[in-house]
């Protein structure tokens, strides 16, 4: 797949809608009552060719993309062309996926369970770490310091469920010049990253010239997912873990942690970041 | 089990040690190099009676308690008396659990996969939600406003991996007069809560007169785990989700979110919190 020649084919998708926030009574330390918004959290049980596969707990903002991205990132379906339809029905909290040829060895491939660190999609079926060894990211991919700032500022000003209700993670896909392509929130950031993987799959979009941003931590699973999508740059408002850092170094991914305002910590793939003298100088003077 | 008559029996436990932080090179926006600490993240593959059950991604601070709490909270082992030994070997990233009579129906009981919202232990085997219907928390349990403040202040001043390296969640168990009983950190807060469940199990400690604190969000899975431990009070620095709130109301748990300094938002189980007039007045004047 390449960005220049997107596949014409698209599966049939529902466009299921659900309310993303819910109001509850809150009483504060002064005994004052108020009504606050909290994010929705609902189960979405995934049926592939009428076989129950998994139940995802989700905000519910992009269930079709989430389902596609889950199947993609778990390597259960190899190509979007294999997917005939994705039909979400919130009245039964379920999504029905029809594939052209079914999932090969689904028994065996969903047997091995790894409970990961990530918020949200905390379960990856086995074998993903093995796959990391086969991933190489484009050696020449570079990101300008000014684009890092642009991305962080775009996220800061983005309308979001987080600003309304808190308790959700956001993930975003940017071009390497800093244009926002997708912004997805979910109660679990792993759902958010999977939903973005699903949208990229639908558009036949490559990761090589993209930048991925997450509000969540850069744990091993997040870095693996970024690498699976072929994205050389992973930015976070938060920090990383030893295994996330190890995987990033292994695949040559650039990790930028603690991205806020004009601050960041470049933790891996140091050679990919292009420092701009005037911005470095401005930071020194700040 | 009751706190007054702790069971004499304790399984054989290893006391495995592992480094909890790791140093990496960081380059900031000024191009300055420094060395920062990040939390460890390592796999722990759980073998029960020589059968591979699951791999948990963990900080590694309390692997024996984590393993016990995982088996307890997943309802795979009903009683601590059933556990003969828990032996962690970091040289192979594995823990070997020996049970007296094995796990009944392990095939069937580990088959249904729910991918949850929680950080860390993001996978619960099916049936936990059904169990919620059978849980009732003590109707007369109360918590004083001053104890909420004491708990928040104790957490604030607690030595932690978080302060050294960030990117971990902390969970703590307190008495309902505010004494800290256990404090556990992990890369996933679900590991931290499971480790506390494991420690409570070892001591035959009941939850009815306890308060649970987490730095993480009060998602459905966290509330379910708190309810499973029989704890009527769940405090968090963070917020909640619709399903977390729903489950708390269902079981009659008191949820206090956004607990920082002398601020909190009481979101469920309102009747359990005892407001203290002088503290309410002080908050009004603050």
């Amino acid at each position: 797949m390449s960005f220049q020649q997107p596949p014409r084919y698209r599966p049939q998708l529902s466009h299921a809608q659900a309310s993303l926030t819910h109001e509850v009574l809150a009483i504060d330390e002064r005994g004052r009552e108020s009504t606050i918004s909290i994010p929705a959290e609902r189960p979405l049980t995934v049926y592939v060719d009428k076989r129950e596969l998994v139940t995802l707990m989700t905000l519910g903002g992009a269930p079709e993309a989430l389902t596609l991205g889950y199947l993609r990132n778990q390597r259960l379906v190899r190509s979007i062309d294999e997917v005939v339809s994705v039909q979400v029905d919130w009245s039964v909290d379920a999504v029905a996926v029809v594939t052209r040829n079914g999932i090969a060895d689904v028994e065996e491939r969903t047997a091995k369970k790894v409970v990961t660190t990530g918020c949200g999609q905390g379960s990856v079926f086995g074998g993903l770490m093995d796959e990391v060894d086969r991933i190489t990211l484009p050696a020449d991919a570079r990101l300008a310091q000014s684009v890092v700032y642009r991305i962080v500022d775009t996220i800061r000003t983005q309308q979001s469920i987080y600003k309304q209700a808190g308790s959700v993670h956001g993930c975003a896909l940017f071009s390497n010049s800093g244009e926002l392509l997708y912004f997805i929130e979910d109660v679990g950031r792993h759902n958010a990253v999977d939903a973005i993987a699903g949208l990229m799959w639908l558009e036949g979009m490559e990761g090589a010239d993209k930048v991925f941003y997450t509000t969540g931590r850069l744990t091993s699973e997040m870095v693996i997912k970024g690498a699976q999508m072929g994205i050389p740059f992973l930015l976070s408002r938060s920090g990383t873990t030893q295994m996330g850092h190890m995987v990033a170094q292994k695949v040559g991914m650039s990790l930028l942690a603690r991205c806020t305002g004009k601050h960041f910590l470049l933790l891996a793939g140091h050679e990919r970041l292009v420092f701009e003298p005037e911005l470095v100088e401005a930071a020194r003077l700040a």
Side-chain angles (χ1 to χ4, degrees), chain A:
Chain A
M1 293 193 297
S2 93
F3 197 20
Q4 289 67 38
Q5 300 134 4
R8 298 278 162 270
Y9 175 76
R10 283 175 73 94
Q12 282 195 333
L13 303 181
S14 57
H15 300 282
Q17 299 289 317
S19 63
L20 303 187
T21 63
H22 175 70
E23 295 204 326
V24 298
L25 172 69
I27 304 175
D28 72 6
E29 66 280 3
R30 295 164 62 171
R32 286 180 308 190
E33 295 193 358
S34 63
T35 303
I36 66 164
S37 289
I38 59 176
E41 182 188 17
R42 46 173 64 89
L44 180 66
T45 300
V46 180
Y47 293 85
V48 177
D49 302 320
K50 299 188 172 160
R51 176 202 173 86
E52 181 177 340
L53 182 64
V54 68
T55 298
L56 306 172
M57 299 300 298
T58 178
L59 179 68
E64 296 85 5
L66 168 61
T67 303
L68 283 169
Y70 185 83
L71 295 174
R72 178 189 185 185
N73 281 347
Q74 300 295 339
R75 297 298 190 253
L76 295 169
V77 177
R78 287 278 154 186
S79 159
I80 187 75
D81 305 356
E82 288 291 303
V83 181
V84 175
S85 63
V86 178
Q87 301 290 331
V88 173
D89 181 351
W90 283 127
S91 69
V92 290
D93 292 333
V95 53
V97 178
V98 176
T99 69
R100 221 164 284 290
N101 307 309
I103 298 178
D105 325 315
V106 64
E107 290 286 359
E108 178 248 311
R109 287 165 63 197
T110 60
K112 192 171 181 188
K113 192 188 273 67
V114 181
V115 178
T116 61
T117 302
C119 283
Q121 187 170 307
S123 172
V124 289
F125 298 129
L128 291 193
M129 277 300 280
D130 320 347
E131 204 178 280
V132 167
D133 301 333
R134 296 194 296 274
I135 294 173
T136 52
L137 298 173
D140 60 347
R142 294 290 180 273
L143 184 65
Q145 184 172 8
S146 53
V147 174
V148 174
Y149 292 167
R150 182 179 172 189
I151 288 170
V152 171
D153 195 58
T154 300
I155 293 293
R156 184 180 60 78
T157 56
Q158 177 74 21
Q159 281 306 310
S160 67
I161 297 295
Y162 182 81
K163 287 175 185 170
Q164 285 178 54
S167 295
V168 293
H169 278 297
C171 288
L173 189 73
F174 288 87
S175 75
N176 59 10
S177 55
E179 287 93 359
L180 177 63
L181 302 172
Y182 301 125
F183 177 75
I184 297 273
E185 294 177 289
D186 208 313
V187 281
R189 74 182 187 275
H190 288 274
N191 288 341
V193 59
D194 282 350
I196 285 177
L199 294 171
M200 291 172 74
W201 217 22
L202 282 168
E203 300 303 326
M205 193 184 286
E206 282 194 339
D209 57 350
K210 304 301 185 304
V211 180
F212 193 86
Y213 173 93
T214 172
T215 59
R217 292 171 297 153
L218 304 173
T219 58
S220 55
E221 193 184 9
M222 287 299 282
V223 175
I224 290 168
K225 285 171 180 281
Q228 284 181 306
M229 292 188 279
I231 301 174
F233 303 97
L234 192 37
L235 275 58
S236 175
R237 175 183 302 165
S238 185
T240 190
T241 61
Q242 184 173 2
M243 193 165 291
H245 183 263
M246 186 201 76
V247 174
Q249 287 188 306
K250 201 178 176 66
V251 299
M253 180 187 288
S254 184
L255 280 192
L256 285 86
R258 309 290 172 198
C259 298
T260 54
K262 295 201 166 1
H263 174 62
F264 59 80
L265 290 176
L266 176 61
L267 300 181
H270 303 92
E271 70 289 352
R272 293 189 184 278
L273 188 72
V274 180
F275 283 94
E276 291 163 278
E278 65 280 13
L279 295 179
V280 169
E281 184 57 24
R284 290 208 170 104
L285 297 172

